[in-house]
Amino acid sequence: MEKIKIAIVEDSKILQERFAEGFNIDKTFKVTGKYSNGESIINSLDKMNRYDLPDIILMDIEMPKKNGIATTAEIKEKYPDIDIMMLTVFEDDSKIFESIKAGASGYILKDEPFEVIIDSVKELYNGGAPISQSIARKVLALIGNKSEMEKSKFAESKNPVDPEFILSKRELELLDELVKGGSYTSIAKDLFLSPHTVKTHIKNIYKKLHIHTRAEAVRARLGKL
Amino acid sequence: MEKIKIAIVEDSKILQERFAEGFNIDKTFKVTGKYSNGESIINSLDKMNRYDLPDIILMDIEMPKKNGIATTAEIKEKYPDIDIMMLTVFEDDSKIFESIKAGASGYILKDEPFEVIIDSVKELYNGGAPISQSIARKVLALIGNKSEMEKSKFAESKNPVDPEFILSKRELELLDELVKGGSYTSIAKDLFLSPHTVKTHIKNIYKKLHIHTRAEAVRARLGKL
DNA sequence: TTATCAATACCCCACTCGGGGCATTTTTAA
DNA sequence: TTAAAAATGCCCCGAGTGGGGTATTGATAA
C-alpha cells in the first residue's frame, strides 16, 4: 500500500535529519522533503504536481523567513487537504490558539518520545487530532474560557430576544440562510429540504421572535431588534 | 504508593461491573464507588470526608435523575480538584462542547479498547486531557469556528459599502423604513409618497449597493454586508 | 446656461412571501 | 415509557416584492 508522504519543516538541521531517519525506518512513511523555513516549503509545494504533495506536514513554529503559524495558514488556504501537525517546544496559550486558528490539526511537543510522534502522525492520517496531553488540557481550558466570555456577553447585552437562546439548532440554521438573502426555494436547495418545510420553519421562527417580516428577522439575528 | 481512587457513574449495571473489574485488576487503581445516576454520586460525595473523595470520576452522559453534564458542572463547582472524564457514545458537537463547558477534562468514546481507557485515566491523573481522536478533531474545529466569528467582527469595521456614503438623504430615509420592516405601502403612507415612488427609490438603492434582497439591504444598513 | 442628478410617479409581469391551516414521523425530555 | 417538542411536508389565498421599462419636474454642479 502507498506510504504516507511527510514533509518536515524544521530549522534545526540535526532535528531534521533525526526526524527524517526515524520516519524512513518505519515502512509506513516516506519523507518527501525537508525544509528549514516556511518560505521554502511553500515555494516547493507551489511547484509540485498535486500528485506529489505530502499528506502531512510536520511544522516547527519558530523559524526564520515566515514562522510556522503563518505558513500553516497559507498552506491550509492553498492546499486544504494537507494535514499539518505542529511540532514545537511551546506551551503558551497564544501559540496553541494561533496554531489551531491557522488550521493545524495536531500539536505535539518536541520532547515526546519518538514513538509517540510516530503514532501521532498515524492518528492524524486517520482523521484524528493528536495533541500532547498538557496541551490538550490547555485547549479545553480555552474552550471553557470562551464559554465564560459568551456568558458575560449575554449578560451584558441583556438581549431578551436573542435567537440563539430561543430557536432550535435547525431554526438558527434556516434563519442564517434567510439573513444571507435566501429565498424559500434557494434555502430549500441548500439544505436539502422541501420549500414547504423551509416556509414552515420560517413561520415558526417569526412566531417565536414575535416578528412579521424578513427585515425584522435579520435585525433580530444581528442583535438589533 | 497510594492508588488512584476512581468513581464510576454509569446507568448500565453491566458496564459498571465491567469497568470496575477492569480497573481493580490494575494495581494502580482503586474503584471507590459505583453509581447509576448523577444524583447518587453527588449525594455520596456530599457525605464523604475530603480524604475519601475520588481523584477521578468516569461520567456517562445519558442517565436518569440528572444527566452527566449537569452533574459534572455541579461536582466541579463543589469539588474542583476532582478530575472528570466523560465516557460516552456521543460524538455530536453540542454534547462535547457542553461537557467541556461543564468542566470535563477528558472525553473518551465508550467503544475504545479498555487498555486505551486505562491509559486515558492515567493521563488524566497526570494532568493531561485525554480525548478520543475523532473528538479531538471536533474540539479543534470548535476553536477554529469561534475564530471565524472573530474574523467577521473585524471585517465589520472595514465596511466598503456603507450606505451613508453612497445613498442620498432621501434614499437613506427610505432604507431606514425598510430596515424597520415597512412595506412599500406602509412606507409610502409614513412619508407621504406614492408606493410607486417608494418602489423606485428601493430599486435605485439596490442598484447602488449591488444587492437584490431586503435581507441584504438590512445587513448593508447595519454594516454587516 | 446646460447637462446631470435627484425626486417623484406610473405600468407590466412573474415570482415570492406571510398567514392561515393541517398531518406524519422522529427526536428529546421527563 | 410516554408526552412533548422538533422536524418535515403539504395546500390555499391574498398581499407583497423585484426587475424590466418610461416620463416629468426641480435641484445641483460644471
Side-chain angles (χ1 to χ4, degrees):
Chain A
M1 66 93 161
E2 210 167 319
K3 293 184 174 185
I4 299 171
K5 294 196 286 287
I6 294 178
I8 298 171
V9 192
E10 164 65 53
D11 61 337
S12 159
K13 289 292 186 181
I14 297 175
L15 284 176
Q16 255 194 37
E17 288 306 320
R18 185 173 301 170
F19 287 141
E21 279 172 21
F23 280 109
N24 280 328
I25 286 173
D26 192 309
K27 303 258 183 253
T28 317
F29 305 105
K30 179 183 176 184
V31 177
T32 56
K34 289 171 287 181
Y35 308 88
S36 301
N37 61 58
E39 243 180 41
S40 57
I41 175 84
I42 290 178
N43 287 339
S44 180
L45 294 178
D46 287 347
K47 292 189 180 78
M48 278 181 197
N49 295 326
R50 291 174 54 85
Y51 232 69
D52 301 319
L53 292 172
D55 303 297
I56 282 169
I57 297 176
L58 303 188
M59 184 78 68
D60 196 3
I61 289 185
E62 204 74 342
M63 289 182 299
K65 289 184 179 175
K66 207 178 181 84
N67 70 34
I69 295 171
T71 306
T72 296
E74 185 171 344
I75 293 177
K76 287 303 288 184
E77 190 181 322
K78 289 179 169 179
Y79 310 99
D81 291 333
I82 299 181
D83 273 321
I84 301 176
M85 186 170 92
M86 310 316 262
L87 203 59
T88 182
V89 297
F90 289 108
E91 291 204 49
D92 62 302
D93 289 359
S94 71
K95 287 288 196 295
I96 295 168
F97 187 64
E98 293 300 319
S99 299
I100 297 171
K101 283 201 306 184
S105 303
Y107 199 105
I108 297 292
L109 295 173
K110 280 185 185 179
D111 62 5
E112 298 271 15
F114 197 77
E115 204 169 86
V116 168
I117 293 176
I118 289 197
D119 286 344
S120 299
V121 172
K122 287 175 180 172
E123 282 164 354
L124 183 63
Y125 187 75
N126 289 325
I131 308 173
S132 294
Q133 285 303 305
S134 57
I135 304 299
R137 182 67 77 126
K138 288 174 182 290
V139 166
L140 297 193
L142 281 173
I143 291 180
N145 289 340
K146 290 211 174 287
S147 78
E148 285 302 314
M149 281 185 238
E150 279 178 357
K151 281 176 185 172
S152 73
K153 272 177 184 171
F154 169 62
E156 252 173 53
S157 73
K158 296 182 179 181
N159 184 4
V161 282
D162 191 336
E164 291 276 359
F165 301 99
I166 300 177
L167 305 180
S168 70
K169 184 178 174 184
R170 193 57 151 167
E171 285 167 342
L172 280 174
E173 206 174 351
L174 278 134
L175 180 55
D176 284 337
E177 293 292 319
L178 186 148
V179 166
K180 286 177 192 167
S183 64
Y184 293 142
T185 305
S186 65
I187 293 173
K189 278 176 183 169
D190 288 349
L191 302 184
F192 305 98
L193 295 172
S194 163
H196 299 296
T197 303
V198 173
K199 183 156 179 273
T200 302
H201 279 301
I202 300 297
K203 279 202 289 179
N204 292 334
I205 290 169
Y206 281 24
K207 193 168 184 178
K208 286 180 176 179
L209 301 181
H210 308 295
I211 59 178
H212 300 278
T213 67
R214 261 166 208 249
E216 287 169 304
V218 174
R219 279 166 40 219
R221 188 62 176 127
L222 301 181
K224 305 279 188 179
L225 206 55
Chain B
M1 63 92 162
E2 210 166 320
K3 292 186 174 185
I4 299 172
K5 293 194 288 286
I6 293 178
I8 298 171
V9 192
E10 163 65 53
D11 62 336
S12 159
K13 290 292 187 181
I14 297 175
L15 283 177
Q16 254 194 38
E17 290 305 321
R18 187 174 298 170
F19 287 140
E21 279 172 22
F23 281 108
N24 281 330
I25 287 174
D26 191 309
K27 304 260 184 248
T28 317
F29 305 104
K30 179 182 177 184
V31 176
T32 58
K34 289 171 288 181
Y35 310 88
S36 301
N37 61 60
E39 239 179 42
S40 58
I41 174 85
I42 289 178
N43 287 341
S44 180
L45 293 178
D46 287 346
K47 293 188 179 79
M48 279 178 194
N49 296 326
R50 292 174 54 86
Y51 231 70
D52 300 320
L53 291 173
D55 302 298
I56 282 168
I57 297 175
L58 302 189
M59 183 78 70
D60 196 3
I61 288 185
E62 202 74 347
M63 290 181 297
K65 289 184 179 175
K66 208 180 180 84
N67 72 32
I69 295 173
T71 307
T72 297
E74 186 172 342
I75 293 177
K76 288 302 292 184
E77 191 181 319
K78 289 177 168 179
Y79 309 100
D81 291 334
I82 298 181
D83 274 322
I84 301 176
M85 185 169 92
M86 310 315 264
L87 201 58
T88 181
V89 298
F90 289 108
E91 292 205 49
D92 62 299
D93 290 1
S94 70
K95 289 287 197 291
I96 296 168
F97 187 64
E98 292 302 318
S99 298
I100 298 170
K101 284 199 305 182
S105 301
Y107 200 105
I108 297 291
L109 295 172
K110 278 187 186 178
D111 61 5
E112 298 271 15
F114 196 77
E115 206 168 86
V116 168
I117 294 178
I118 289 197
D119 286 344
S120 297
V121 173
K122 286 175 179 174
E123 284 164 354
L124 184 64
Y125 187 74
N126 289 325
I131 307 174
S132 293
Q133 283 304 303
S134 57
I135 305 298
R137 182 68 77 127
K138 289 175 183 290
V139 167
L140 297 194
L142 282 172
I143 292 182
N145 288 341
K146 288 198 181 295
S147 80
E148 283 303 312
M149 284 186 232
E150 285 178 358
K151 277 180 188 169
S152 73
K153 273 177 184 173
F154 171 68
E156 249 175 63
S157 64
K158 294 185 170 185
N159 187 7
V161 281
D162 191 335
E164 292 276 0
F165 303 101
I166 301 176
L167 304 180
S168 70
K169 186 176 173 183
R170 195 56 153 167
E171 285 168 341
L172 279 174
E173 205 173 349
L174 278 134
L175 181 55
D176 285 337
E177 294 292 319
L178 184 151
V179 166
K180 286 177 191 168
S183 65
Y184 293 141
T185 305
S186 65
I187 294 175
K189 279 177 182 172
D190 286 350
L191 300 185
F192 305 98
L193 296 171
S194 162
H196 297 297
T197 301
V198 175
K199 183 153 181 273
T200 302
H201 277 302
I202 299 296
K203 277 204 287 179
N204 291 335
I205 290 169
Y206 281 21
K207 193 169 185 178
K208 285 180 176 177
L209 301 181
H210 306 294
I211 59 179
H212 299 278
T213 68
R214 248 159 223 255
E216 288 169 303
V218 174
R219 279 166 43 216
R221 187 67 176 122
L222 300 180
K224 306 280 189 179
L225 204 56

